[in-house]
Amino acid sequence: MNLTQRDWLFTVTGGLLVCLVLLPLVAMLFDLLRLGLPVLGWEFLLTAPSNAGRSGGIAPLLISTGWILLVCLSVAVPVGLGCAVFLNEWLLPESRLSRGIGLSLDVLSGVPSIIFGLFGYQVFAITLGLGFSILSGGLALACMVLPFIVRTSQQSLAAVPAGYRQAAQALSLSQTGMLWRVVLPTASPGIAAGVVLATGRALGETAVLIFTAGYVLRQPDSVLDSGRALAVHIYDLATNVTGGTSHGAATALVLLALILIATTSVRSGAGLWSRYMLEEKR
Amino acid sequence: MSTVPRFFPVMLVVLFLSGCGKPQHDTLVLTGSSTVAPLISDLAADFEALNPGVRVDVQSGGSSRGLADVRQGTAALGMISRELRSEESGLQAHVIARDGISLLVHARNPVTELSDEQVRRLFRGEIANWQEVTDFDARVSIVHKGEGRATLDVFLAYFALHNRDVKADLIVGENQQGIRSVAGNPGAIGYVSIGSANYEIAQGVPVKGLAIAGVAPDATAIAQGDYPLSRNLNLVTQGELGGLAADFVAYARSPQAHERIQQHFFTPVVNP
């Protein structure tokens, strides 16, 4: 077997494997489009659901989902980033505390989401008296996505070249100054990847939200109202509502589009911020 | 920084939370069975439209959760898709609808009724051809429901079958899927929720329901409680029914709710 033959073999195998990976995605998209496209339209996005979701649209659910995500990220990102900075910048990497926190985070990221649902229900809804509300749901989701944000942020902080820190120290920058001007901007694409991961998980989550944010189809007036997220709606239409398949598929298409928009905007936002901090304000 | 008190962030949070405020509406909370939740959710929307200023929040999560929430007082009403058990004392159940399950065969199959024992033997795989039961030469094909389906539980309980003894040729999920599977195979037998079966039969799908214990699966028989293979969908309260909860239960049991109940392929209960 000569070199070109081997190259050719690798190319073909690699291509086939990529196709194999993409096949489920394409098949799923095809199915969703076939079922959901006839329903999809501006009216679907702008009207309230009726008849348990078998007719009408998803307008209140878009608002509920947005609020839940907002609560979740505005709690999980600062706390997670802070924890990552503490782990990476203030603790020695092999200290007992650092390893202990790391281990608990890894355990936390392996906990099934239904546990976070029951925990959130018991703690936020019952004990703290927040009830079935967007606030309970967002906080429970924040607990669930926290380990992802901490772990990815910590890795990208650790990947900042040591030379950058040494240069900053040579210029006698304070710890905070170095963090704000050098380390965080350099690590921001990796941190953004963690936030993207968390956003995707949060938008696709049902088990946590059924028990916390709830099932109410009405448009929420405040974060203390219950509101149904898109993923919960899809789950309900697929399992409990006879004749809900096409509206469920259309909702799934909207959710996919939302995830796409959310992830690209987080990524480009982080890119812009990092460029602004590192280049323009030299 | 010194001019700002250190507890300023705490003040902000308190301010934010107090701004949220308690809703000024009368709110009724229901939790429970995911089978019943879509129906009650629709009824709640109708009820809100009839009673301005009233809010009915419907939460899903399963019958057991409905019971737990009613006991805790988190919810005024629980939704359960079964009867109260004897150990669940201190609670009251109010039937709002029935969900009947029909044995389904292909329209070409001449059989009209099966005994309980015949059904058991069919589903255990002990009858290979319909000729053993009736004048029809076709291989028996068992269409069974997947794990976790409420219809599966009711079916197994009524016929005293163990799920592991059932020799299924095809496992289906939704009722619709079960109906299509039976319609596509003259030798098939399955079981689905009666409301969706009758809906599909009316659409011209070649299937038919079988009588059980001599009772045919029609709406009247279910409504009167004569048809044996059915379950009640209940609203559960702790103690005496009163206030908004009483109004809602009365509405859900009134003829005004019948159209909604039928839209969800359940059978309204005829109150004596």
Side-chain angles (χ1 to χ4, degrees), chain A residues 50-54 121-122 126 129-130 132 135 210-228 236-243 245, chain B residues 16-17 20-23 25 29 31 34-35 37-39 41-42 48 54-61 65 68-69 72 74-75 149 174-176 196 260 263-265:
Chain A
S50 55
N51 204 351
R54 282 179 288 195
Y121 168 66
Q122 198 56 49
I126 306 290
L130 298 175
F132 303 104
L135 200 56
I210 282 181
F211 287 89
T212 51
Y215 185 77
V216 172
L217 277 172
R218 201 187 307 115
Q219 180 173 324
D221 293 332
S222 82
V223 285
L224 287 179
D225 280 346
S226 169
R228 194 190 292 193
D236 195 52
L237 285 176
T239 56
N240 297 322
V241 180
T242 316
T245 323
Chain B
F16 170 72
L17 286 178
C20 294
K22 287 278 163 203
H25 318 263
V29 178
T31 71
S34 54
T35 314
L39 163 67
S41 192
D42 270 355
E48 282 176 352
V54 166
R55 283 172 71 153
V56 184
D57 281 4
V58 180
Q59 306 294 352
S60 169
R65 177 175 165 204
D69 282 349
Q72 281 188 342
T74 321
R149 293 276 157 183
E174 284 173 33
N175 287 320
Q176 237 108 336
S196 36
R260 281 289 187 203
Q263 273 178 6
H264 284 267
F265 305 108

Side-chain angles (χ1 to χ4, degrees), chain B residues 76-154:
Chain B
L77 289 167
M79 305 173 277
I80 59 171
S81 51
R82 57 173 172 80
E83 294 301 324
L84 279 175
R85 298 195 182 113
S86 53
E87 72 268 19
E88 289 158 355
S89 55
L91 298 174
Q92 285 181 308
H94 312 273
V95 185
I96 48 159
R98 282 206 179 87
D99 184 16
I101 292 158
S102 170
L103 281 172
L104 209 63
V105 293
H106 195 273
R108 290 228 305 271
N109 193 330
V111 73
T112 55
E113 182 178 356
L114 290 171
S115 71
D116 292 0
E117 187 51 36
Q118 280 173 323
V119 173
R120 268 192 285 274
R121 292 188 58 212
L122 277 165
F123 275 81
R124 281 191 197 127
E126 292 162 14
I127 298 176
N129 195 295
W130 281 102
Q131 275 175 323
E132 291 179 45
V133 181
T134 180
D135 180 27
F136 185 54
D137 181 17
R139 204 182 72 81
V140 171
S141 172
I142 301 296
V143 180
H144 194 48
K145 285 279 181 118
E147 200 80 52
R149 293 276 157 183
T151 34
L152 171 85
D153 297 337
V154 177

